[in-house]
Coordinates of all heavy atoms in Angstrom, one line a residue:
I6 N 0.8 -1.2 0.0 CA 0.0 0.0 0.0 C 0.9 1.3 0.0 O 0.6 2.2 -0.7 CB -1.0 0.0 1.2 CG1 -1.9 -1.2 1.2 CG2 -1.8 1.3 1.3 CD1 -2.8 -1.3 0.0
T7 N 1.9 1.2 0.8 CA 2.9 2.4 0.8 C 3.5 2.6 -0.5 O 3.6 3.7 -1.0 CB 3.9 2.2 1.9 OG1 3.3 1.9 3.1 CG2 4.8 3.4 2.0
S8 N 3.9 1.5 -1.2 CA 4.5 1.6 -2.5 C 3.5 2.1 -3.5 O 3.9 3.0 -4.3 CB 5.0 0.2 -2.9 OG 5.6 0.3 -4.2
L9 N 2.3 1.7 -3.5 CA 1.3 2.2 -4.4 C 1.0 3.7 -4.2 O 1.0 4.4 -5.1 CB 0.0 1.4 -4.2 CG -1.2 1.9 -5.0 CD1 -1.0 1.8 -6.5 CD2 -2.5 1.3 -4.6
R10 N 0.9 4.1 -2.9 CA 0.7 5.5 -2.6 C 1.8 6.4 -3.1 O 1.6 7.4 -3.8 CB 0.6 5.7 -1.1 CG 0.4 7.2 -0.7 CD 0.7 7.4 0.7 NE 2.0 6.9 1.2 CZ 3.2 7.5 1.0 NH1 3.2 8.7 0.3 NH2 4.3 7.0 1.5
R11 N 3.1 5.9 -2.9 CA 4.3 6.7 -3.4 C 4.2 6.7 -4.9 O 4.5 7.8 -5.5 CB 5.5 6.0 -2.9 CG 6.8 6.8 -3.3 CD 8.1 6.0 -3.1 NE 8.1 4.9 -4.0 CZ 8.3 3.7 -3.6 NH1 8.4 3.3 -2.4 NH2 8.3 2.7 -4.6
D12 N 3.9 5.7 -5.6 CA 3.9 5.7 -7.1 C 2.8 6.6 -7.6 O 3.0 7.2 -8.6 CB 3.6 4.2 -7.6 CG 4.8 3.3 -7.3 OD1 5.9 3.8 -7.0 OD2 4.6 2.1 -7.4
L13 N 1.7 6.7 -6.9 CA 0.6 7.6 -7.4 C 0.9 9.1 -7.1 O 0.5 10.0 -7.8 CB -0.7 7.2 -6.7 CG -1.2 5.9 -7.1 CD1 -2.4 5.5 -6.3 CD2 -1.6 5.8 -8.6
E14 N 1.6 9.3 -6.0 CA 1.9 10.7 -5.6 C 3.1 11.3 -6.3 O 3.2 12.6 -6.4 CB 2.2 10.8 -4.1 CG 1.0 10.6 -3.2 CD 1.3 10.7 -1.8 OE1 2.4 10.8 -1.4 OE2 0.3 10.6 -1.0
Q15 N 4.0 10.5 -6.7 CA 5.2 11.0 -7.4 C 5.1 10.9 -8.9 O 5.2 9.7 -9.4 CB 6.5 10.3 -6.9 CG 6.7 10.6 -5.5 CD 8.0 9.9 -4.9 OE1 8.6 9.1 -5.7 NE2 8.4 10.2 -3.7
P16 N 4.8 11.9 -9.6 CA 4.7 11.8 -11.1 C 6.0 11.4 -11.8 O 7.1 11.6 -11.2 CB 4.2 13.2 -11.5 CG 4.8 14.1 -10.5 CD 4.8 13.3 -9.2
L17 N 5.9 10.9 -13.0 CA 7.0 10.5 -13.8 C 7.8 11.8 -14.1 O 7.2 12.8 -14.5 CB 6.5 9.9 -15.0 CG 7.6 9.5 -16.0 CD1 8.5 8.4 -15.4 CD2 7.0 8.9 -17.3
L18 N 9.1 11.8 -13.9 CA 10.0 12.9 -14.2 C 10.5 12.8 -15.6 O 11.2 11.8 -15.9 CB 11.1 13.0 -13.2 CG 12.1 14.1 -13.3 CD1 11.4 15.4 -13.2 CD2 13.2 13.9 -12.3
V19 N 10.2 13.7 -16.5 CA 10.7 13.7 -17.8 C 11.8 14.8 -18.0 O 11.5 15.9 -17.7 CB 9.5 13.9 -18.8 CG1 10.0 13.9 -20.2 CG2 8.4 12.9 -18.6
L20 N 13.0 14.3 -18.5 CA 14.1 15.2 -18.7 C 14.5 15.2 -20.2 O 14.5 14.1 -20.8 CB 15.3 14.9 -17.8 CG 15.1 15.0 -16.3 CD1 16.3 14.4 -15.6 CD2 14.9 16.4 -15.9
P21 N 15.0 16.3 -20.7 CA 15.6 16.2 -22.1 C 16.8 15.3 -22.0 O 17.5 15.1 -21.0 CB 16.0 17.6 -22.3 CG 15.3 18.5 -21.3 CD 15.0 17.6 -20.2
R22 N 17.1 14.6 -23.1 CA 18.2 13.7 -23.2 C 19.5 14.2 -22.7 O 20.3 13.6 -22.1 CB 18.3 13.1 -24.6 CG 19.3 12.0 -24.8 CD 19.3 11.5 -26.2 NE 20.4 10.5 -26.3 CZ 20.3 9.2 -26.2 NH1 19.1 8.7 -25.8 NH2 21.3 8.4 -26.4
A23 N 19.8 15.5 -23.1 CA 21.0 16.1 -22.7 C 21.2 16.3 -21.2 O 22.3 16.4 -20.7 CB 21.1 17.5 -23.4
R24 N 20.1 16.3 -20.4 CA 20.1 16.5 -19.0 C 20.0 15.2 -18.2 O 19.8 15.3 -17.0 CB 19.0 17.5 -18.6 CG 19.3 18.9 -19.1 CD 18.3 19.9 -18.6 NE 18.1 19.8 -17.1 CZ 16.9 20.1 -16.6 NH1 16.0 20.6 -17.3 NH2 16.8 20.0 -15.3
L25 N 20.0 14.1 -18.8 CA 19.8 12.8 -18.1 C 21.0 12.6 -17.2 O 22.2 12.8 -17.7 CB 19.6 11.7 -19.1 CG 18.3 11.6 -19.8 CD1 18.4 10.4 -20.8 CD2 17.2 11.4 -18.9
P26 N 20.8 12.2 -16.0 CA 22.0 11.9 -15.1 C 22.7 10.6 -15.5 O 22.0 9.7 -16.1 CB 21.3 11.8 -13.7 CG 19.9 11.4 -14.0 CD 19.6 12.1 -15.3
R27 N 24.0 10.6 -15.2 CA 24.7 9.3 -15.5 C 24.2 8.3 -14.5 O 23.8 8.6 -13.4 CB 26.2 9.5 -15.3 CG 26.8 10.3 -16.4 CD 28.3 10.2 -16.2 NE 28.7 11.6 -15.8 CZ 29.9 11.9 -15.4 NH1 30.8 11.0 -15.3 NH2 30.1 13.1 -15.1
S28 N 24.2 7.0 -14.9 CA 23.7 6.0 -14.0 C 24.7 5.8 -12.9 O 25.9 6.0 -13.1 CB 23.5 4.7 -14.8 OG 24.8 4.2 -15.3
A29 N 24.2 5.4 -11.8 CA 25.0 5.2 -10.6 C 24.4 4.0 -9.8 O 23.2 3.9 -9.8 CB 25.0 6.5 -9.7
S30 N 25.3 3.2 -9.3 CA 24.8 2.2 -8.4 C 24.8 2.6 -7.0 O 25.6 3.5 -6.6 CB 25.7 0.9 -8.6 OG 27.0 1.2 -8.1
V31 N 23.8 2.2 -6.2 CA 23.6 2.5 -4.8 C 24.0 1.3 -4.0 O 23.3 0.3 -4.0 CB 22.2 3.0 -4.6 CG1 22.1 3.4 -3.1 CG2 21.8 4.1 -5.4
P32 N 25.1 1.3 -3.3 CA 25.6 0.2 -2.6 C 24.9 0.0 -1.2 O 25.4 0.2 -0.2 CB 27.1 0.5 -2.3 CG 27.1 2.0 -2.3 CD 26.1 2.4 -3.2
V33 N 23.6 -0.4 -1.3 CA 22.8 -0.6 -0.1 C 22.0 -1.9 -0.3 O 21.4 -2.1 -1.3 CB 21.8 0.5 0.1 CG1 20.8 0.2 1.3 CG2 22.5 1.8 0.3
E34 N 22.1 -2.8 0.7 CA 21.3 -4.1 0.7 C 20.3 -3.9 1.8 O 20.7 -3.5 2.9 CB 22.2 -5.3 0.9 CG 23.2 -5.6 -0.2 CD 24.1 -6.8 0.2 OE1 23.6 -7.7 0.9 OE2 25.2 -6.8 -0.2
A35 N 19.1 -4.3 1.5 CA 18.1 -4.1 2.6 C 17.1 -5.3 2.5 O 17.0 -6.0 1.5 CB 17.3 -2.8 2.3
G36 N 16.3 -5.4 3.6 CA 15.3 -6.4 3.7 C 14.1 -6.1 2.8 O 14.0 -5.0 2.2
A37 N 13.3 -7.1 2.6 CA 12.1 -7.0 1.7 C 11.2 -5.8 2.0 O 10.6 -5.3 1.1 CB 11.4 -8.3 1.6
G38 N 11.1 -5.4 3.2 CA 10.2 -4.4 3.6 C 10.7 -3.0 3.4 O 10.0 -2.0 3.6
V39 N 12.0 -2.9 3.1 CA 12.6 -1.5 2.9 C 12.5 -1.0 1.5 O 12.7 -1.7 0.6 CB 14.1 -1.6 3.3 CG1 14.8 -0.3 3.1 CG2 14.2 -2.1 4.8
Q40 N 12.0 0.2 1.4 CA 11.8 0.9 0.1 C 12.7 2.1 0.0 O 12.9 2.8 0.9 CB 10.4 1.3 -0.1 CG 9.4 0.1 0.0 CD 8.0 0.6 -0.1 OE1 7.7 1.8 -0.2 NE2 7.0 -0.3 0.1

């Protein structure tokens, strides 16, 4: 339910191709309930 609420409240962010951020990995491992 929390995940659905967050998905509905945060609209899709659209950026021009020139302003797309470089991909980055986030070194965090978490349990199944962590979002």
Side-chain angles (χ1 to χ4, degrees):
I6 300 299
T7 304
S8 179
L9 173 66
R10 178 198 52 80
R11 185 191 68 235
D12 292 344
L13 293 173
E14 288 179 355
Q15 295 181 353
L17 179 65
L18 180 62
V19 179
L20 296 172
R22 184 176 174 94
R24 290 186 47 207
L25 289 177
R27 285 188 253 171
S28 63
S30 63
V31 180
V33 175
E34 294 177 33
V39 177
Q40 299 177 3

